[in-house]
Amino acid sequence: MISTSSRLLQLLSLLWSRTSWTAGELAQRMDVTERTVRRDVARLRDLGYDVESDPGHWGGYRLRESRSHLPLVLDDEEALAVSVALREAAQTRVLGDDQAVLSALLKLRQLLPARVASRLGAMDGVFEHTTRVCGQPLSPGMLAGLAQVCRRGERITLSYRSMQGTDTVRDVDPYRLVFTGNRWYLVALDVAKGAWRTFRADRVIDVHPTGRLVHVPDPPDAARLVAEMLVSDYPLYAVVRLPLSLDDAMRAVPPTAGTHEPDGPHATIVRIGGTDAESLGEYLMRLGVPLTVLSPDSVREAVRRRAIALVESNGSAGATGSSPRP
């Protein structure tokens, strides 16, 4: 289902593209009900857009153009860059709850010159995003608060809800925030257990700063710790050697899919989790690099079978196919 942010941007783009639309026309173009259209029009009005409407079944919606000017010293490309960045933040929820970001974006767009607003409207008409991984709403205030205690190195009392719905309260020493592309994670030292832990930021219920500044000894690689946590729940793991530098290997196998160790300047050892040997063999074949499976034997054999089948399939096709014409 399309998100509220996407719908409002699409609705705004349609209203800018034509003088008047009926609720039925907008509903058909957006693939929603007329009730949703009316609700989204009300949201735009709450955000400050002057959307006029005529009563009756055939009444239309019109967007009255703003005569405001951009009160910023930005040229067209700079204004476009800021607006695109806000648009992506609203879509991906990189800053938490998308409503505050979306509100800022729509307010900014009212102040843009028409030539810049039309370019953004073209994006809204053609850009689509896949459904995001579901989670609890994360407010920008919570995200900013966690970042502040990480920066200060201040011990906090953390109220947290686990995946199973169990609420706990513990003292932690916050260190870093890590964004995986889907969610934010807090990396912190659990004081009572003396162990590093990762906490999904959208499951943080409350944060109470203690006022005690602490020095974290020997901190871990926060991004690696989160990556290891994300791939720690698979029943089977493959260890492979990729003939790629560490940077290239991390592009081929993202940190959310495996953990990486450099093996010299031109090779990387990667540990990848999967449900079974066959699915891991298929994943490794799709990488398209001459990798070496170090372990286990079951995954090595799965890769061998696929490689042999590919060679035989292409060999038989060459033997039975027609000869090329001179």
Side-chain angles (χ1 to χ4, degrees):
M1 182 178 293
I2 189 171
S3 69
T4 302
S5 298
S6 298
R7 283 205 321 271
L8 292 183
L9 291 171
Q10 184 180 6
L11 175 58
L12 196 57
S13 176
L14 291 171
L15 291 173
W16 262 326
S17 68
R18 208 170 80 183
T19 304
S20 180
W21 295 83
T22 67
E25 289 173 330
L26 290 171
Q28 184 176 11
R29 289 292 295 272
M30 297 171 62
D31 194 24
V32 296
T33 65
E34 292 188 23
R35 181 180 178 182
T36 297
V37 169
R38 291 192 291 271
R39 187 165 58 241
D40 287 347
V41 166
R43 288 193 179 101
L44 286 180
R45 287 169 174 162
D46 290 341
L47 290 168
Y49 280 88
D50 191 358
V51 182
E52 299 178 332
S53 61
D54 296 324
H57 180 74
W58 300 104
Y61 289 107
R62 296 182 302 276
L63 180 65
R64 179 179 292 179
E65 293 186 5
S66 171
R67 296 184 179 180
S68 302
H69 299 287
L70 188 64
L72 299 172
V73 185
L74 298 175
D75 61 26
D76 286 5
E77 294 303 315
E78 291 169 337
L80 184 65
V82 171
S83 300
V84 169
L86 283 172
R87 186 189 190 283
E88 286 304 295
Q91 294 281 9
T92 62
R93 307 181 85 174
V94 65
L95 297 178
D97 182 10
D98 60 355
Q99 291 306 305
V101 182
L102 179 64
S103 176
L105 170 61
L106 296 183
K107 288 177 181 178
L108 173 63
R109 288 180 59 158
Q110 290 187 89
L111 305 175
L112 294 175
R115 59 186 178 274
V116 178
S118 65
R119 294 172 68 183
L120 285 173
M123 294 180 186
D124 295 336
V126 299
F127 280 11
E128 295 186 13
H129 283 254
T130 57
T131 303
R132 309 301 298 177
V133 175
C134 295
Q136 297 298 320
L138 174 61
S139 72
M142 173 63 78
L143 195 61
L146 291 172
Q148 188 174 25
V149 291
C150 286
R151 182 181 178 88
R152 285 203 308 258
E154 180 178 1
R155 180 168 294 175
I156 60 174
T157 299
L158 183 73
S159 300
Y160 186 73
R161 180 164 296 152
S162 70
M163 182 184 299
Q164 293 75 27
T166 303
D167 293 352
T168 59
V169 178
R170 67 189 87 186
D171 285 343
V172 301
D173 295 338
Y175 175 56
R176 289 288 187 272
L177 285 165
V178 177
F179 185 61
T180 65
N182 289 324
R183 296 187 178 100
W184 284 99
Y185 289 86
L186 170 67
V187 174
L189 180 67
D190 189 314
V191 176
K193 297 181 179 179
W196 288 97
R197 294 288 186 265
T198 61
F199 302 92
R200 267 180 49 177
D202 59 304
R203 291 189 183 140
V204 174
I205 302 170
D206 204 359
V207 173
H208 292 284
T210 65
R212 179 179 176 182
L213 301 182
V214 293
H215 172 68
V216 178
D218 193 23
D221 181 329
R224 180 182 176 85
L225 189 65
V226 171
E228 290 175 346
M229 178 274 301
L230 291 173
V231 298
S232 64
D233 295 329
Y234 290 104
L236 183 65
Y237 294 88
V239 180
V240 301
R241 185 179 189 272
L242 301 182
L244 302 171
S245 67
L246 180 60
D247 289 343
D248 289 341
M250 293 183 72
R251 280 190 284 269
V253 181
T256 53
T259 57
H260 306 70
E261 286 287 350
D263 186 25
H266 305 298
T268 305
I269 305 298
V270 184
R271 184 172 182 263
I272 307 170
T275 55
D276 52 54
E278 295 303 318
S279 62
L280 277 169
E282 182 179 354
Y283 178 84
L284 294 174
M285 288 292 291
R286 288 203 304 266
L287 295 179
V289 296
L291 56 88
T292 302
V293 179
L294 303 180
S295 67
D297 292 340
S298 59
V299 175
R300 184 184 301 112
E301 289 304 314
V303 171
R304 281 173 55 85
R305 285 194 299 272
R306 281 170 169 75
I308 291 172
L310 183 62
V311 170
E312 291 179 346
S313 175
N314 283 276
S316 61
T320 60
S322 60
S323 301
R325 294 181 180 179

